[in-house]
Amino acid sequence: MSQPDHGHARKRRFQERLHLLHDTALHRKLKHHLPAAFNERWTRRHWIHASLFATIGALAATIVPGFSNAIDSSLPSAHSTLALPLPPLALGPRSGTPGDSWQILRVEPGQTLSTLFETAGVPATVMHRVLEHPGAREVLTKLRPGAEIAFDLPVDGQLRALRFDRDPSHRVELSLQGDRIREQVLERATTTRTVVASGEIRSSLYASAVKAGLTPSAINTMTDEIFKYDIDFSREVQPGDRFSVVMDETWREGERIDTSKILAATFSTGGKTYTGFRFERGGKAEYYDLNGRPLKKSFIRMPIPFARLSSSFGSRRHPILGTMRMHKGVDYAARTGTPIMAAGDARVQFAGTQRGYGNVVILDHGRGYTTLYGHMSRFGNIRTGQRVNQGTVIGYVGSTGMATGPHLHYEFRVNGQHRNPLSVTMPPPEPLKGAELAAFRAQTSPAMARIRGMEALIYADAGKEAPAATSTAAAATPARDSNG
């Protein structure tokens, strides 16, 4: 054997003895740590225990997987997928179906009709075409805040129809069909019921009235139409003052749409109670006190709002002529174009140009009373011989004639004699008489009884503090169809 082969053999024998020593040491270590049952020869008891443990393990391996599968099959699936057949998609946009694309706009304060059409994306040319339809201009140009107007605009964006309310009971729908406009009027059923609202002012009249169930229009009727001649609501109203109102509520499709028609009202302030009752006289509805005397005064002192008294009645040096002469009226300085109102119900005696007065209007109020309004920039929508009501705009402030600046020259005459408009005793309005007075009392007695009944219910204990909350209750009058 060669020398290299002898070296490999010695190396192999050395590795075999090393493995033997390692196995012997491991055996001794295990023998030292394992229980005696594993280090000694097994007895019959050892074999019985081992068989028992093996049997239990086999049973567990058989039962547990089946039990687990049973539990999994009983629980619902977290999600499932169900295939449903779907209809085929339409190839083109919807068109030709009325009512499938209505856009409803509510009129906001300060909005004009052109603004509404612009918001809806309808050209002005289409708006003017709609306004040319008979009756459309009268309604659409007088839409009030809160009113609704609807545009039927299909996908192509061209106006197909327009819908608006002509009055509380009728809705108008205008369909644009080529060069023609087809009108359809839909009648909307309304009901009216008479209610009584009563309240006591705590913080403000407006807040208390709203809490009592009055709408802003009803509040304006009470303050600006019924009691404006007797009560200064900006200064005289105080906490603790009370009010009661009998009014007609108009309902349509479950919505209260109008409460402006007040039949009767009372207002207690400063230890005095004022009353107002609605009554038609000669086809015109006005408000009267409990004795049948009109609440509206024959004349208003100041026929121009928000103006400054610039020259009083009496002798003065004329600002243009420079001579002392009688100033037969009063002057109110205001901006050019400020509206001028008729001081009372009258007939237009003269409307034109007259020497130093420039553009002037003279009104004849009957019973020898006349008023004059001079230096107007232009006239209102009036003509000589026309009847006008108190408050009608008859012209606008200007500086025509002998005037140094824009102002209103106002004169008050009694049987041709000039009187100071600021101090003259105004003639009392004509009260109801005879058959009219009898009809008025028959009409107002039930309303007054309802007010007293409501106030007795709310303020039963006058010795205690009146309730802060206000109450509203329906009167005995049942709801009725407004068309009847």
Side-chain angles (χ1 to χ4, degrees):
M1 181 180 294
S2 63
Q3 187 67 24
D5 293 339
H6 179 73
H8 285 294
R10 288 184 62 186
K11 185 177 181 180
R12 186 169 59 252
R13 286 195 297 271
F14 176 77
Q15 291 177 346
E16 289 176 354
R17 282 198 292 271
L18 185 64
H19 283 300
L20 179 61
L21 291 175
H22 181 269
D23 292 341
T24 303
L26 180 61
H27 180 266
R28 289 174 181 172
K29 188 175 181 180
L30 289 173
K31 183 178 180 180
H32 177 74
H33 290 284
L34 290 174
F38 289 93
N39 297 326
E40 300 176 356
R41 193 177 185 86
W42 277 23
T43 64
R44 183 180 180 183
R45 185 166 61 89
H46 291 154
W47 286 109
I48 294 174
H49 287 170
S51 301
L52 180 61
F53 289 142
T55 304
I56 294 174
L59 290 174
T62 304
I63 296 174
V64 171
F67 181 69
S68 176
N69 292 337
I71 293 176
D72 292 342
S73 63
S74 64
L75 293 174
S77 176
H79 67 277
S80 60
T81 303
L82 181 62
L84 295 175
L86 295 176
L89 292 175
L91 298 179
R94 294 175 62 188
S95 62
T97 304
D100 64 359
S101 51
W102 284 100
Q103 294 186 20
I104 302 176
L105 299 180
R106 185 178 295 271
V107 181
E108 301 293 338
Q111 276 190 320
T112 62
L113 184 63
S114 59
T115 304
L116 293 170
F117 272 77
E118 183 179 353
T119 303
V122 179
T125 54
V126 178
M127 180 188 71
H128 292 300
R129 178 186 167 196
V130 170
L131 292 178
E132 291 175 358
H133 184 76
R137 183 181 297 274
E138 289 74 6
V139 178
L140 292 176
T141 56
K142 296 179 181 179
L143 291 176
R144 296 184 177 182
E148 291 183 349
I149 180 171
F151 300 85
D152 184 13
L153 293 167
V155 179
D156 60 10
Q158 295 184 0
L159 182 64
R160 185 164 53 198
L162 183 71
R163 192 167 61 200
F164 55 88
D165 290 336
R166 187 176 66 191
D167 54 55
S169 302
H170 298 89
R171 171 166 288 177
V172 177
E173 184 172 315
L174 301 179
S175 300
L176 281 69
Q177 302 173 351
D179 295 334
R180 297 174 57 252
I181 295 181
R182 179 177 174 271
E183 177 180 315
Q184 182 180 9
V185 180
L186 307 175
E187 188 170 354
R188 308 180 71 187
T190 60
T191 57
T192 303
R193 64 176 183 175
T194 304
V195 300
V196 181
S198 185
E200 179 177 300
I201 299 175
R202 285 301 189 186
S203 57
S204 69
L205 170 60
Y206 186 86
S208 300
V210 169
K211 197 171 184 179
L214 273 67
T215 61
S217 62
I219 297 173
N220 291 337
T221 300
M222 180 175 66
T223 59
D224 298 343
E225 189 172 349
I226 301 178
F227 297 122
K228 73 173 182 179
Y229 296 97
D230 298 310
I231 303 174
D232 186 346
F233 286 96
S234 63
R235 293 186 300 177
E236 296 180 4
V237 175
Q238 301 293 331
D241 292 348
R242 297 174 180 176
F243 61 88
S244 295
V245 172
V246 180
M247 60 185 176
D248 276 351
E249 290 184 337
T250 303
W251 291 76
R252 183 184 62 204
E253 300 171 2
E255 179 185 5
R256 187 174 67 169
I257 60 174
D258 184 45
T259 59
S260 59
K261 186 178 179 180
I262 294 182
L263 305 179
T266 64
F267 203 101
S268 299
T269 181
K272 184 177 181 180
T273 298
Y274 299 90
T275 59
F277 300 89
R278 191 175 191 272
F279 183 74
E280 288 193 8
R281 181 184 191 182
K284 182 180 179 181
E286 293 184 359
Y287 288 94
Y288 300 81
D289 65 13
L290 194 59
N291 298 317
R293 187 173 295 277
L295 295 180
K296 185 181 78 173
K297 304 304 186 230
S298 298
F299 295 89
I300 53 179
R301 294 278 184 187
M302 191 173 180
I304 180 173
F306 313 114
R308 174 179 59 87
L309 181 67
S310 58
S311 183
S312 301
F313 181 87
S315 180
R316 66 162 189 176
R317 184 178 297 276
H318 196 277
I320 295 179
L321 301 178
T323 59
M324 294 297 297
R325 56 190 300 177
M326 183 68 178
H327 189 223
K328 300 179 180 181
V330 294
D331 291 344
Y332 292 105
R335 291 183 178 181
T336 299
T338 302
I340 301 170
M341 302 176 294
D345 296 344
R347 179 183 61 84
V348 179
Q349 179 176 309
F350 179 83
T353 303
Q354 198 176 90
R355 298 188 300 277
Y357 289 120
N359 293 330
V360 62
V361 171
I362 301 176
L363 300 181
D364 183 0
H365 304 275
R367 296 184 292 171
Y369 293 91
T370 59
T371 53
L372 179 146
Y373 313 78
H375 306 307
M376 292 182 175
S377 60
R378 58 190 176 94
F379 301 105
N381 188 21
I382 60 171
R383 64 183 185 278
T384 300
Q386 177 184 344
R387 301 290 305 183
V388 294
N389 296 325
Q390 185 181 83
T392 300
V393 176
I394 58 175
Y396 300 87
V397 170
S399 54
T400 57
M402 296 178 64
T404 57
H407 70 280
L408 166 67
H409 174 77
Y410 175 56
E411 296 182 4
F412 192 93
R413 304 172 182 175
V414 180
N415 295 322
Q417 300 296 317
H418 292 85
R419 298 286 188 268
N420 186 351
L422 303 180
S423 60
V424 65
T425 300
M426 296 294 183
E430 286 289 330
L432 296 174
K433 299 177 181 178
E436 287 184 333
L437 181 60
F440 170 79
R441 288 176 174 170
Q443 177 179 312
T444 58
S445 295
M448 196 64 196
R450 289 171 184 152
I451 290 178
R452 288 172 178 167
M454 175 59 68
E455 292 181 345
L457 180 65
I458 299 177
Y459 315 114
D461 192 350
K464 295 182 180 181
E465 184 180 0
T470 54
S471 302
T472 304
T477 303
R480 62 184 185 274
D481 187 355
S482 62
N483 297 326

